[in-house]
Amino acid sequence: MNRFARLATRLLAVPLGLVWLEPAAEAAGAVPECWPTGTGPDPVVLAYCRRVAGDGRPRFLSHAGDDDGAPFAFGGVPLVGGSGELLGVLAVADRAPRAWSEDDVRDLSDLAAACSAQMRMRTRSETVRQAREAAEDAAHAAAGEATRVHELLNRSELLLRASEDLADTSGLEDVRQRVGDLVSGDLKPARIDLVLVRQGILHHVLSPVDGDFAAPGGAGVAGTGAFPLGSDWPVARAVRENRMIVVRTPPESDGADTAPGRRPLATPAFDTLDHGTAACLPLRGTHGTLGALVLGWDAPHGIGVDERAVLTTLAGYTAQAVERALHLDERVTVARQLQRAMLTELPDVPGLELSALYRPAAQDDMVGGDWYDAYPLPVAPGTKAAGAVALTVGDITGHDTRAASLMGQVRSMLRQADHDHPGDGPEQALGALERACRRLHLPASGTALHAHLIAMGDGHWQLRWSNAGHPAPLLVTADGAVESLTEHDVLLHHALEPGPRTCDSRSLAPGTTLLLYTDGLVEEPGGDIEDNVDRLAHRLAAAPPDVPLDGLLRSLMDAVAPRDARDDAVLFAVRVCAP
């Protein structure tokens, strides 16, 4: 459970999270699980958890504590079982008073719902284990029923594996893969169809048991388009009526539903397949039926009472995994939209070609604190500049939604610093940013390179830059000579006292390309950063001088970036055009 406590501390940016269990669980030997681990919960925090448990309602206090202790902020949401019984409390605490936002309340409530589902799944797993032990005892007591007991053991092991495997899934693709792996060894269906309800329409998420998975929506399989929930397909009826429906051919006399002809057309996905039996299992979620899991066999398959119980339980585990996957997919979608909204649309600057490429991390929220920016600079009073543009590449520590939100604030504050001090250099803007972060207590840390490009009037541009601990940019001339701009100062950190920053400059001739990047491009576990930077410089120098920048950046990302992206990465290039 401390995984949910850890997620709560990260999501709400608080130092302490814990899962408090109701007294019956504590009496059985369970103790509250905290994050960070190894730190016991404060008795006052536990007292507030008990109040939440007693009320049975969420409680968010911006100013809590007793008369003898310092005030602190507390938030707690009850954890409930499948029948509404109290399981415990998911709580967070801050060391100082804090106003809880609506997003804080919603995020902690969502985590509490996922934690409740996990605890219910653990309870079911224990039931399955007990059933397995009972089956093993029966096998020793009744040797004459060895075959049947063996089947019961196999089914119990299947459910045990399902409870464990499906508890760890992270997306619909993962759920689909795990279910296929589980049933292929025991139930041996010839095909699986996962159908989900979205706005009254059923959509396929197809998965052959023994082959590559088809894309969501059934691309490449005849007759697998979306179809209405109110249609006559057996799978639609199973979802509407919230019951298992078995389709067989030839017809049998046990009350099963039979499709016309010789094939059980349980779903449109089975239209071209010669199955003998299909079972449509509704997926019951917290707030209604999510869809259905359909298993099809290529020969008549008898489904007895024991197998019906196994299929129903398997569908329950699948429904929990699907519900969690849909929730995570929604979070990732929102996070990606947030990231895209904060990525700059590059301006058109006469005399310059600009291009940028962003790749998110392949884990956590798939967003992060890396950013690039470019915008026209204001003309300083009394000057007649032919044109000026600001360029930035930065990396706020972390690759989650919190890092992305900090990045958005830092990006806006840096823009404001440039526009409030026209004519000042990039080092002055970085200094103003640091002072503002310190005064506003914004916990932003990381690296950044901020530059000004000023047109010189003869096709040349003057580059002025200040580097706050960021990887050195690369400069390649029209004849292929590469220079690494290694001059830099200390990184950005809210705990460091702002000091003066340096500014360096170069004159860029027509045909010169400036490449800025973040460390996610060249840093990987077990690898050497300098070797990767050298490889990047070599490929940059070998590129044809007239290659479009967007194609150049894609080829550099594919050739240099780690395949297992543990950090987000940015590539940003500026080329001085020929007159």
Side-chain angles (χ1 to χ4, degrees), residues 306-355:
D306 292 340
E307 188 160 313
R308 280 178 175 266
V310 170
L311 292 176
T312 301
T313 306
L314 176 64
Y317 290 139
T318 304
Q320 291 182 9
V322 167
E323 194 167 40
R324 184 172 57 253
L326 291 173
H327 174 70
L328 293 176
D329 286 348
E330 181 181 2
R331 283 189 58 84
V332 169
T333 299
V334 171
R336 287 175 173 173
Q337 291 173 346
L338 170 66
Q339 185 80 53
R340 284 196 296 267
M342 290 191 292
L343 293 178
T344 297
E345 182 176 349
L346 298 177
D348 292 327
V349 182
L352 296 177
E353 180 184 357
L354 292 84
S355 183

Side-chain angles (χ1 to χ4, degrees), residues 22-36:
E22 59 93 21
E26 289 186 337
V31 296
E33 297 188 30
C34 303
W35 186 264

Side-chain angles (χ1 to χ4, degrees), residues 80-86:
V80 295
S83 301
E85 74 276 15
L86 178 71

